[in-house]
Amino acid sequence: KIRESEDRYRDLVEHSQELICTHDLKGRLLSVNPWAARVLGYTQDELLRMNMRDLIAPEVRDEFDRYLEKIGTHGAAQGMLLVQTRSGERRIWEYKNTLRTEGVTEPVVRGMAQDITERKRSEEARIRLSMAVDQAAEGIVITDTEGRIEYVNPSFERITGYLRDEAVGQNMRILKSGKQDDMFYRNMWEAISRGEVWRGRFLNKKKDGTLYDEEAVISPVRNASGKIINFVAGKRDITDETEMQKQVQTAQRMDSVGTLAGGIAHDFNNALTGIMGVAEILRLKVG
């Protein structure tokens, strides 16, 4: 039974998808499983001639020294280490190690670690995305398929006057100005419900009742099976731009009127010059 137990333990170690190793309090590796060797790019024999410190990324090797000190003092340590493979690739390992002192001539550290590199990268990507959305100049709104608000970014708060806590849980109808007919909204909802991206303009109303022009792009969000589960909208207050366009259009119309009037005046002046010339000749003849 002892032999069977040892065999099962050995099989577990040999096929584990985690780092399993032992090392002394100076970091010298005493044993290491095949998975760790494969991930690190070394053979097991090569690793058994190395120090754990050599596998740590150079810029954080001081952390490994502190780890050895901690586990020697407290008998246990856990945390994360940035390791470097033979090819130079950086991997993040989360470890939980204990010190064994009973039944051995010298203290031995039993180590187990998980490679969490991809998980950390995904977390960092989500953090970057969250920061980008929060700091975007455009208002960003996420709703459910019924139009209930689930998230707004700070720019939405600035544009509409609604704080996040006031907006979340409300329907997007809180922004309706009443200046657009039902057909406008029906066409928009039909488009995004079909999975299309909708682009257009709203005349919306802020919390204080002020009307403003808004340019929006609304996109469906699908889950892994392709079902639409949310809508995300990017919104931009274009009130100033719209007013400027109106001023430019007015100036262009006035310029056109001025050009037309100038042309008419020029033609009239040509005709008047002939009339005045003939009149002068007649005046001279009459005396």
Side-chain angles (χ1 to χ4, degrees):
K1 290 183 178 180
I2 294 175
R3 180 61 180 271
E4 289 177 2
S5 178
E6 290 177 349
D7 288 343
R8 283 197 297 271
Y9 177 75
R10 187 177 298 106
D11 185 67
L12 175 65
V13 171
E14 291 291 315
H15 295 90
S16 174
Q17 296 298 301
E18 297 181 351
L19 162 74
I20 299 176
C21 73
T22 58
H23 63 78
D24 63 19
L25 286 177
K26 293 183 179 180
R28 291 190 294 259
L29 282 163
L30 305 175
S31 67
V32 63
N33 66 332
W35 179 86
R38 186 166 60 253
V39 170
L40 291 167
Y42 295 93
T43 66
Q44 287 177 278
D45 289 340
E46 288 175 324
L47 287 173
L48 295 178
R49 293 193 294 270
M50 297 174 66
N51 191 296
M52 275 288 293
R53 194 174 188 278
D54 299 328
L55 301 173
I56 306 301
E59 65 270 23
V60 293
R61 282 178 182 165
D62 289 346
E63 294 182 17
F64 184 71
D65 295 335
R66 288 192 290 272
Y67 150 77
L68 289 176
E69 182 180 347
K70 180 179 180 180
I71 201 166
T73 303
H74 301 286
Q78 61 183 28
M80 289 185 290
L81 286 173
L82 181 65
V83 301
Q84 181 172 286
T85 68
R86 187 172 205 157
S87 65
E89 182 186 6
R90 306 299 177 89
R91 310 292 298 179
I92 303 170
W93 283 5
E94 186 175 52
Y95 67 88
K96 188 174 183 179
N97 298 354
T98 56
L99 183 66
R100 178 185 176 187
T101 57
E102 297 179 0
V104 292
T105 55
E106 293 184 7
V108 174
V109 177
R110 291 181 292 193
M112 293 189 68
Q114 288 183 323
D115 188 329
I116 61 169
T117 308
E118 302 309 324
R119 190 180 80 196
K120 292 295 290 184
R121 286 174 180 169
S122 296
E123 289 175 358
E124 290 170 0
R126 285 196 295 270
I127 291 170
R128 285 195 298 271
L129 177 60
S130 177
M131 290 174 61
V133 170
D134 278 347
Q135 297 176 28
E138 292 186 344
I140 305 295
V141 186
I142 299 176
T143 74
D144 64 14
T145 54
E146 301 298 323
R148 284 186 295 271
I149 298 171
E150 295 184 353
Y151 168 85
V152 298
N153 71 340
S155 288
F156 176 91
E157 297 177 314
R158 175 181 53 79
I159 293 170
T160 67
Y162 286 98
L163 298 178
R164 183 175 300 184
D165 291 343
E166 296 173 319
V168 171
Q170 298 280 358
N171 193 283
M172 287 296 292
R173 285 191 294 269
I174 60 173
L175 300 178
K176 286 182 70 172
S177 64
K179 302 294 184 180
Q180 287 162 307
D181 58 28
D182 291 340
M183 183 60 69
F184 172 85
Y185 293 103
R186 189 178 301 115
N187 290 338
M188 178 200 70
W189 274 104
E190 287 177 356
I192 61 178
S193 297
R194 289 194 301 267
E196 299 175 7
V197 176
W198 183 89
R199 293 176 174 83
R201 292 187 175 188
F202 294 99
L203 180 59
N204 275 345
K205 183 172 64 175
K206 300 184 180 184
K207 181 182 176 181
D208 63 5
T210 304
L211 298 182
Y212 69 100
D213 288 307
E214 178 184 89
E215 187 175 65
V217 178
I218 305 175
S219 305
V221 178
R222 301 177 185 272
N223 62 13
S225 62
K227 181 182 178 181
I228 297 174
I229 56 173
N230 289 102
F231 297 114
V232 59
K235 295 170 167 287
R236 193 164 64 92
D237 185 345
I238 59 170
T239 305
D240 292 341
E241 294 178 23
T242 302
E243 185 60 32
M244 188 174 296
Q245 287 175 355
K246 289 179 181 177
Q247 293 177 6
V248 169
Q249 290 170 356
T250 300
Q252 289 174 339
R253 285 196 295 269
M254 293 300 294
D255 184 62
S256 298
V257 171
T259 301
L260 178 62
I264 293 173
H266 182 72
D267 292 342
F268 182 76
N269 188 61
N270 289 340
L272 189 61
T273 299
I275 293 171
M276 292 177 67
V278 172
E280 180 64 19
I281 293 171
L282 293 173
R283 187 183 66 80
L284 293 173
K285 286 184 176 181
V286 173

